[in-house]
């Protein structure tokens, strides 16, 4: 947990931006919004959330699209979209360095960028990555090697107001009992992350 | 998103200031902004900042079949991405006119100037060569993307190390980083671009 840092307003052009560090893993998030939306994507009762994730090397593929859809659904539940009908909130994420726990770093960066932009949110989110290694030990915020050797990988996203699960994604084989154990451990880490957020915001002001 | 047009009073102000040899941020005509270069954890990753313009470049390599017209040479592919985070007018996906221009200029600068020796990238003539791919991402657009992208691409290429290869008759073994230390690319020289702007048909 000590290796989690955030640098808000790292870019000058976007409405809100943040660089989120989880150990060596670094993601830069930029938010433009609420702003003009293409007629085809316009929704008459709420804002359209668009997420673009750009990997550091190569062209975006299926894995990137999957990440985008997970980040979009998380942000749609967190944002007060009904306040801004017929507009778009564009979130662009750039992977600067992937040393494990990339999805959780992306979601946290997106949340920080949305706070920096001042878009109204129902709650803020904290994402926690967790893996089950070969000895059934739970490891939080794994590194690349730990992720590759793991039996099962999970990412949980928690809401700040109720500590409920907003998003849960997993891959690999895991028993329901161990899954619950991982969930509870991640929830505790999520609470610590929210304390970090409050700390950072109070230091800014 | 459409670009906000420059108002005529803004245009008149900038031209008027230039006529008095003054720039908006107080620099002289030939002054450069502060240049900062940082490197990532991975080999071939580099982050360049000129003033507030930020560009990230990453080099990667792959073994592929060479072009039929050049069976002895490796391939160098440069991909410029004008990320929508850099400027609200940049659309994801297809490059705009400006993007295509900068991409082409980058290719001419890096590839056509033969700053990287492509023949050294050949493993087995006509069958296997290294393809070096440079992905340049523009993160923040505060002017002069061309120079920043060029510095980022060259620095990333100089920083990059590719895996070592041994050819024994028909067998080609690509060694991992743990087996044999990584090999740098052959960089002949470092081309750099400098951008000038002309106002009032060159009178300013």
């Amino acid at each position: 947990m000590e290796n989690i840092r955030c640098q808000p307003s790292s870019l000058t052009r976007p409405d809100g931006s943040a660089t989120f560090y989880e150990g060596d893993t670094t993601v830069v998030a930029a938010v433009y919004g609420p702003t003009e939306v293409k007629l085809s994507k316009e929704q008459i009762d709420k804002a359209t959330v668009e997420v673009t994730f750009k990997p550091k090397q190569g062209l975006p593929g299926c894995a990137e699209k999957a990440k985008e859809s997970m980040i979009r659904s998380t942000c749609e539940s967190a944002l007060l979209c009904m306040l801004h009908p017929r507009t778009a909130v564009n979130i662009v994420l750039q992977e600067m360095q992937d040393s494990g726990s990339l999805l959780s770093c992306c979601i946290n960066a997106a949340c920080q960028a949305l706070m920096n932009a001042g878009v109204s949110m129902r709650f803020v989110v904290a994402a926690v990555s967790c893996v089950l290694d070969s000895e059934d030990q739970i490891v939080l915020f794994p590194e690349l090697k730990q992720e590759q050797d793991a039996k099962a990988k999970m990412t949980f996203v928690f809401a700040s107001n109720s500590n409920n699960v907003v998003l849960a994604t997993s891959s690999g084989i895991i028993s329901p009992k161990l899954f619950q154990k991982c969930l509870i451990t991640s929830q505790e880490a999520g609470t610590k992350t929210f304390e970090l957020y409050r700390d950072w915001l109070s230091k800014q002001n | 998103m459409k670009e906000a047009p420059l108002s005529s009073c803004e245009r008149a102000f900038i031209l008027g200031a230039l006529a008095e040899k003054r720039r908006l941020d107080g620099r002289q005509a030939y002054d450069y902004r502060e240049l900062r270069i940082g490197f990532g954890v991975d080999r071939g990753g580099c982050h360049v900042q000129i003033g507030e313009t930020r560009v990230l470049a990453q080099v990667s390599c792959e073994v592929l079949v060479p072009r039929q017209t050049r069976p002895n040479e490796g391939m160098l592919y440069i991909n410029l991405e004008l990320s929508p985070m850099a400027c609200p007018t940049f659309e994801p996906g297809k490059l705009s006119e400006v993007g295509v221009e900068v991409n082409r200029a980058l290719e001419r600068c890096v590839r056509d100037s033969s700053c990287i020796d492509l023949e050294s990238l050949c493993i087995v003539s006509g069958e296997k060569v290294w393809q070096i791919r440079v992905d340049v991402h523009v993160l923040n657009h505060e002017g002069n993307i061309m120079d920043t992208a060029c510095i980022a691409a060259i620095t990333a290429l100089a920083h990059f190390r590719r895996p070592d290869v041994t050819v024994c008759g028909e067998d080609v073994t690509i060694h991992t980083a743990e087996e044999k230390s990584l090999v740098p690319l052959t960089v002949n020289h470092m081309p750099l671009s400098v951008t000038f702007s002309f106002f009032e048909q060159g009178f300013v």
Side-chain angles (χ1 to χ4, degrees), chain A residues 10 12-13 32 54 56 58, chain B residues 58 85 135 137 140-142:
Chain A
S10 39
T12 57
R13 289 303 293 267
Y32 284 100
K54 294 205 171 276
K56 192 166 64 154
Chain B
Q58 176 67 45
M85 71 165 63
D135 286 299
H137 303 275
N140 202 33
H141 178 24
E142 288 283 5

Side-chain angles (χ1 to χ4, degrees), chain A residues 17-65:
Chain A
S17 60
T19 307
F20 205 86
Y21 306 87
E22 274 180 12
D24 276 337
T25 306
T26 312
V27 173
V28 175
V31 167
Y32 284 100
T35 180
E36 206 186 320
V37 63
K38 273 202 197 96
L39 274 174
S40 53
K41 300 200 185 133
E42 194 182 37
Q43 286 178 296
I44 54 168
D45 56 342
K46 53 185 174 157
T48 311
V49 179
E50 282 176 24
V51 178
T52 312
F53 172 74
K54 294 205 171 276
K56 192 166 64 154
Q57 56 199 41
L59 292 168
C62 294
E64 284 74 37
K65 281 274 172 282

Side-chain angles (χ1 to χ4, degrees), chain B residues 113-175:
Chain B
S113 69
S114 1
C115 69
I116 300 288
D117 183 15
L118 292 176
E119 280 189 14
S120 64
L121 297 174
C122 181
I123 306 171
V124 178
S125 175
E127 286 171 31
K128 291 191 209 295
V129 296
W130 284 111
Q131 186 202 47
I132 304 292
R133 186 198 170 92
V134 188
D135 286 299
V136 183
H137 303 275
V138 181
L139 303 177
N140 202 33
H141 178 24
E142 288 283 5
N144 208 3
I145 294 180
M146 182 62 222
D147 288 4
T148 327
C150 188
I151 296 175
I154 304 295
T155 320
L157 283 166
H159 189 242
F160 183 63
R161 300 282 180 269
R162 64 167 173 80
D164 201 1
V165 184
T166 21
V167 185
C168 202
E170 290 292 316
D171 277 328
V172 175
T173 328
I174 301 174
H175 299 279

Side-chain angles (χ1 to χ4, degrees), chain A residues 70-88:
Chain A
M70 284 191 270
I71 299 167
R72 191 181 58 246
S73 57
T74 310
C75 294
E76 266 173 353
S77 37
L79 287 170
L80 281 163
C81 294
M82 310 83 65
L83 282 184
H84 311 283
R86 297 158 78 205
T87 63

Side-chain angles (χ1 to χ4, degrees), chain A residues 110-175:
Chain A
C111 180
Q112 289 292 321
L114 284 165
M115 285 202 280
N116 191 249
V119 190
S120 311
M121 298 168 85
R122 246 182 228 109
F123 47 75
V124 292
V125 292
V128 179
S129 267
C130 155
V131 298
L132 205 62
D133 69 10
S134 43
E135 285 134 37
D136 281 353
Q137 292 296 314
I138 300 175
V139 180
L140 291 179
F141 299 111
E143 288 174 7
L144 212 54
K145 194 90 183 33
Q146 289 170 321
E147 254 185 10
Q148 282 163 354
D149 297 339
K151 262 165 66 174
K153 289 192 287 192
M154 285 148 279
T155 304
F156 296 106
V157 183
F158 302 101
S160 59
N161 55 357
S162 56
N163 235 353
N164 281 339
V165 178
V166 177
L167 181 96
T169 172
S170 64
S171 70
I173 303 171
I174 183 169
S175 72

